[in-house]
Amino acid sequence: MANHKSALKRIRNSETKRLRNRYQFRTTRNAIKKLKGSTDKKEAEKLFPEVTSMIDKLAKNNVIHDNKADRLKSQIARHVATL
């Protein structure tokens, strides 16, 4: 157990950030699955900028690595192009 006030605050902040990161990452993963599962080109093209933006925000906040973000964007771009 923490002995300092600052350590207790750090524990509270860390838990809050962890939950927020989990929520944002889960939401983004669901959006990616929806886009990859899409067979309609118009719907996929509509979703593409939204999903790309979500991925960029995760990378900017260090929830995911920059290379992973680039890889995910490349995969979904390829999927939309092949529809």
Side-chain angles (χ1 to χ4, degrees), residues 13-76:
N13 286 344
S14 295
E15 180 64 12
T16 304
K17 288 177 185 175
R18 184 185 74 84
L19 293 173
R20 186 183 317 121
N21 288 344
R22 249 179 82 188
Y23 171 77
Q24 289 174 342
F25 190 43
R26 170 54 69 188
T27 306
T28 303
R29 280 203 314 236
N30 287 338
I32 291 170
K33 284 179 190 171
K34 183 178 178 186
L35 178 66
K36 283 185 177 179
S38 165
T39 55
D40 181 29
K41 186 163 178 88
K42 286 190 179 194
E43 182 188 346
E45 286 176 341
K46 183 177 162 253
L47 283 173
F48 180 69
E50 297 170 15
V51 175
T52 304
S53 173
M54 293 169 83
I55 292 171
D56 285 335
K57 284 177 189 168
L58 288 178
K60 185 179 92 175
N61 294 328
N62 292 318
V63 176
I64 60 174
H65 196 275
D66 291 340
N67 290 350
K68 179 173 179 137
D70 290 341
R71 207 170 54 245
L72 288 172
K73 288 191 295 185
S74 173
Q75 286 173 3
I76 62 174

